[in-house]
Amino acid sequence: MNEFDFIDSLRQRANSRKHSARVLTGIGDDASIIAQSADRDLIVTTDLLVEGVDFHRGATPARLLGHKALAVSLSDIAAMGARPFWSFLSIGMPRAEWTTNFKDDFFEGYFALADRFGVTLSGGDVSETKQGIVIDSIVLGEVKSGAAVKRSDARPGDQIYVTGNLGGAAAGLKLIENGARVKQESGVRSQESERGSSPTVREGVITETLAQASGLTDEPQSRSDEDSIQSLLLCQLQPSPRVGWGIVLGEEALATAMIDISDGLSSDLNHLCRESNAGALIDSSSIPLDDDVKRLCGRRALDALALALHGGEDFELLFTVAPENVSRLPKRVDGVAISHIGEITDAARTIRIRERDRIWDLQAQGFSHFKD
Ligand code: ADP
Ligand code: MG
């Protein structure tokens, strides 16, 4: 039984004993939808981050961990087309960590992102652990009644879009696993620094040894190789939740269905299609690849498209739009563009990908806990 089978069983158990009719959507979407008043619904999401599994302590500066803890939950709120307002953060850490700067740096990163989106930390809990850091991040948001965008309302003929670029976070993880480290004092990507358009990594110094160890690049002879590596590390360590896009797509009633890409495009498109009882046909040439991934992968036999399809944690939004609304879509929100990657079909649960003149079945190969 993998993570998703277990969640399915929990969902059945919870639905069979539902004590509140105000839970409009419980288990099964990016966040729950709870009727709050006559005109507002509350949107609630929770995410667990465990040291050694969801992050590698040695490769993750505390400030970036604080950022990411909030970012992953903001991303789920965005995926519901909602506006975030309140957050709760519980953290457990070993005594050895308690006596360092870790907690101050963690909350510096956390509050910086919360301030950017006007989110108020409203509670939490602190505990000591015997081993490793554990973080539980909760964010609450709001929508007008009935306006939340679920995973389940995509219809055949709807057009499929994705925000930003894909593959960067997975490439960053590979770099980390091979010994690359973010330069401590870089680490703050400007608000919407999109890779390629505005490189913001300051003085990206990574030693030749580390970059070579990464296996993603030949000897880093130029500054720009180092910049690319630093930028990819930040895709993994400091993702930008697409809060602005989420709000626009929800409040303008543009998206019929939406999910954030946390497990990987192939898996998350699969979740969306499954919930919508539909299928999808996407075009490989229109999948937006991160520029740095393309550049570094080009040197080795690494497949940038595979990273974009199956690599998780890009925290971009994947959404569908009814044909009659496509012309209403903004080109950019907060400087972030979107790409049209395909169409919803009536072939339930069948996801196919066109690669030049051939069409393949696309298996969900993204991340899952307790996978065989
Ligand atoms: P996401 O990647 O969008 O954060 P997850 O894959 O973590 O979503 O979870 C999918 C769904 O399963 C969500 O609706 C979540 O609330 C639900 N879920 C996950 N774990 C549990 C659990 N332990 N108890 C109840 N619901 C859960
Ligand atoms: Mg999600």
Side-chain angles (χ1 to χ4, degrees):
M1 184 184 255
N2 71 17
E3 175 193 357
F4 299 115
D5 301 328
F6 175 61
I7 291 172
D8 274 347
S9 72
L10 275 181
R11 182 177 179 174
Q12 281 173 18
R13 288 172 74 178
N15 286 345
S16 68
R17 62 190 73 196
K18 201 161 147 186
H19 301 295
S20 169
R22 287 172 58 193
V23 179
L24 304 178
T25 294
I27 298 171
D29 215 308
D30 292 276
S32 326
I33 310 170
I34 299 172
Q36 187 185 3
S37 65
D39 58 349
R40 312 299 285 163
D41 292 339
L42 192 62
I43 309 297
V44 187
T45 184
T46 173
D47 287 283
L48 193 61
L49 288 119
V50 176
E51 179 175 346
V53 178
D54 299 295
F55 63 93
H56 302 281
R57 179 69 186 102
T60 313
R63 191 164 45 86
L64 300 190
L65 186 59
H67 171 103
K68 187 165 176 178
L70 180 59
V72 298
S73 299
L74 288 177
S75 179
D76 279 327
I77 296 291
M80 303 303 291
R83 210 175 261 274
F85 285 105
W86 310 280
S87 69
F88 295 78
L89 193 284
S90 298
I91 187 160
M93 69 189 89
R95 188 167 286 258
E97 206 73 75
W98 183 255
T99 53
T100 67
N101 288 336
F102 170 79
K103 53 189 181 313
D104 301 323
D105 294 345
F106 177 92
F107 278 102
E108 189 186 313
Y110 186 93
F111 280 122
L113 184 61
D115 292 347
R116 197 168 119 196
F117 293 116
V119 169
T120 303
L121 178 65
S122 312
D125 199 5
V126 177
S127 175
E128 181 180 343
T129 63
K130 291 295 166 210
Q131 210 185 354
I133 297 163
V134 180
I135 299 157
D136 181 28
S137 167
I138 295 175
V139 175
L140 281 68
E142 272 186 348
V143 289
K144 272 195 295 189
S145 291
V149 185
K150 296 188 276 190
R151 294 177 178 178
S152 54
D153 290 338
R155 294 293 167 258
D158 285 359
Q159 302 300 302
I160 307 173
Y161 289 84
V162 64
T163 59
N165 296 315
L166 300 176
L173 181 60
K174 278 194 187 298
L175 285 160
I176 287 170
E177 286 170 351
N178 287 292
R181 293 292 176 265
V182 75
K183 206 176 151 277
Q184 282 281 352
E185 61 280 19
S186 69
V188 180
R189 281 200 288 161
S190 70
Q191 271 222 319
E192 280 312 332
S193 65
E194 285 320 293
R195 278 86 71 194
S197 61
S198 60
T200 53
V201 179
R202 289 177 236 138
E203 303 301 316
V205 178
I206 196 157
T207 66
E208 271 193 28
T209 331
L210 287 181
Q212 285 163 353
S214 74
L216 270 180
T217 145
D218 295 324
E219 298 97 76
Q221 287 151 347
S222 63
R223 277 266 320 157
S224 51
D225 272 8
E226 293 165 3
D227 283 350
S228 290
I229 291 169
Q230 286 292 310
S231 189
L232 291 173
L233 290 173
L234 291 179
C235 288
Q236 164 62 217
L237 297 172
Q238 195 181 28
S240 291
R242 301 311 186 194
V243 174
W245 264 111
I247 292 169
V248 168
L249 293 169
E251 294 188 354
E252 305 289 325
L254 284 165
T256 49
M258 181 148 57
I259 185 169
D260 70 330
I261 301 185
S262 54
D263 299 327
L265 175 63
S266 64
S267 291
D268 290 314
L269 181 55
N270 188 56
H271 294 318
L272 187 146
C273 286
R274 187 179 157 198
E275 293 298 326
S276 292
N277 197 28
L281 174 61
I282 61 174
D283 190 336
S284 66
S285 64
S286 43
I287 292 169
L289 305 178
D290 184 282
D291 284 341
D292 291 311
V293 173
K294 272 192 288 192
R295 220 169 64 76
L296 294 183
C297 284
R299 316 275 183 79
R300 296 269 164 161
L302 265 167
D303 186 347
L305 181 63
L307 285 177
L309 285 173
H310 308 302
E313 298 204 291
D314 283 313
F315 295 106
E316 297 295 347
L317 296 175
L318 173 67
F319 60 96
T320 57
V321 179
E324 63 271 23
N325 284 328
V326 162
S327 62
R328 291 172 52 217
L329 280 171
K331 292 269 175 294
R332 286 174 178 269
V333 173
D334 296 337
V336 180
I338 50 174
S339 303
H340 174 233
I341 63 165
E343 185 172 316
I344 295 292
T345 65
D346 57 10
R349 294 191 185 197
T350 308
I351 298 176
R352 292 181 302 162
I353 181 164
R354 183 183 289 120
E355 221 174 341
R356 292 185 206 92
D357 50 358
R358 302 185 70 172
I359 293 181
W360 311 92
D361 276 341
L362 180 65
Q363 304 301 329
Q365 289 171 35
F367 183 79
S368 165
H369 290 287
F370 305 109
K371 198 154 68 168
D372 293 330

